[in-house]
């Protein structure tokens, strides 16, 4: 299931690159799709590679930073490719610094409850800022076509988050344990399938 998801995310990103390579926003979308899932959400393979082959640790960390940065830039810039409102570019700079430090120095956060709390607040700030900027661009700036693109992306992301929450929460709360491997498999399929709505909706929006 995970390999199928990897293929879908990468394939949609590659298709956008091939068909819209003259569009800078489309190139960012393509890079976001190729890196975000494989290095951020389903990062097991790259983490195993980094732990088993120390020489790959830095390239893996670099790819994780790229995935995190591209995901933030995607939601701050889509669909026009401009920072609107203009001050959101400084949010992007702050978020990039945050992701770099968190990826390169993870022990810095895990060893300090205070910093871990700040991490959650920063993540919440990212979500609120991105949501507000999307609403602002949709209502004040976007054309009819850009509004259509935004609706597709919001539709896919909202359903993906809702679906993943339904399938992941019972596992996180230990309502499902290792004695029920078939149920765990079904929940994993549901979680992974939910997130496939993001590349599919983005692909429809951009292509």
């Amino acid at each position: 299931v995970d390999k199928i998801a990897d293929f879908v995310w990468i394939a949609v990103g590659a298709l956008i690159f091939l068909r819209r390579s003259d569009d800078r926003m489309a190139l960012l979308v393509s890079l976001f799709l190729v890196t975000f899932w494989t290095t951020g959400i389903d990062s097991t393979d790259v983490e195993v590679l980094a732990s088993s082959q120390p020489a790959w640790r830095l390239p893996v960390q670099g790819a994780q930073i790229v995935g995190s940065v591209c995901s933030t830039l995607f939601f701050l810039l889509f669909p026009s490719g401009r920072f609107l409102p203009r001050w959101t570019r400084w949010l992007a700079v702050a978020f990039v610094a945050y992701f770099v430090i968190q990826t390169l120095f993870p022990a810095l956060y895990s060893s300090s409850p205070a910093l871990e709390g700040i991490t959650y607040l920063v993540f919440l700030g990212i979500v609120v800022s991105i949501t507000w900027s999307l609403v602002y661009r949709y209502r004040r700036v976007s054309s009819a076509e850009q509004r259509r693109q935004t609706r597709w992306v919001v539709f896919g992301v909202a359903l993906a988050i809702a679906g993943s929450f339904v399938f992941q929460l019972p596992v996180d709360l230990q309502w499902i344990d290792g004695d029920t491997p078939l149920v765990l498999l079904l929940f994993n399929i549901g979680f992974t399938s939910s997130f496939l709505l993001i590349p599919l909706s983005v692909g429809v929006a951009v292509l």
Side-chain angles (χ1 to χ4, degrees), residues 7 9-10 43 45 73 82 88 103 109 118 128 134 137 151 153 158 167 196 201-203 205:
F7 173 79
W9 280 80
I10 294 173
S43 59
D45 290 341
L73 291 178
R82 295 179 294 163
T88 54
T103 302
Y109 292 89
I118 293 174
V128 171
L134 277 172
R137 291 195 300 276
R151 286 195 297 269
V153 171
F167 288 106
L196 285 179
S201 64
V202 170

Side-chain angles (χ1 to χ4, degrees), residues 152-185:
W152 269 110
V153 171
V154 171
F155 172 75
V157 172
L159 286 183
I161 292 175
S164 63
F165 181 80
V166 169
F167 288 106
Q168 187 63 28
L169 184 62
V171 178
D172 290 340
L173 296 179
Q174 297 183 346
W175 294 345
I176 308 298
D177 55 35
D179 295 332
T180 55
L182 179 59
V183 176
L184 281 174
L185 176 62

Side-chain angles (χ1 to χ4, degrees), residues 30-83:
S30 175
L31 188 57
F32 156 66
L33 293 176
V34 170
T35 58
F36 179 65
W37 172 260
T38 54
T39 65
I41 305 299
D42 183 29
S43 59
T44 303
D45 290 341
V46 294
E47 289 174 357
V48 169
L49 176 63
S51 61
S52 61
Q53 301 290 335
W56 282 94
R57 181 172 299 279
L58 191 59
V60 166
Q61 289 177 330
Q64 289 174 327
I65 291 172
V66 170
S68 298
V69 170
C70 285
S71 64
T72 300
L73 291 178
F74 168 71
F75 288 108
L76 285 175
L77 293 171
F78 189 84
S80 65
R82 295 179 294 163
F83 286 107

Side-chain angles (χ1 to χ4, degrees), residues 6 14-15 61 82 84 103-104 115 119 134 153 157 194:
D6 292 347
L15 182 61
Q61 289 177 330
R82 295 179 294 163
L84 296 171
T103 302
L104 296 180
L115 283 177
T119 300
L134 277 172
V153 171
V157 172
S194 297

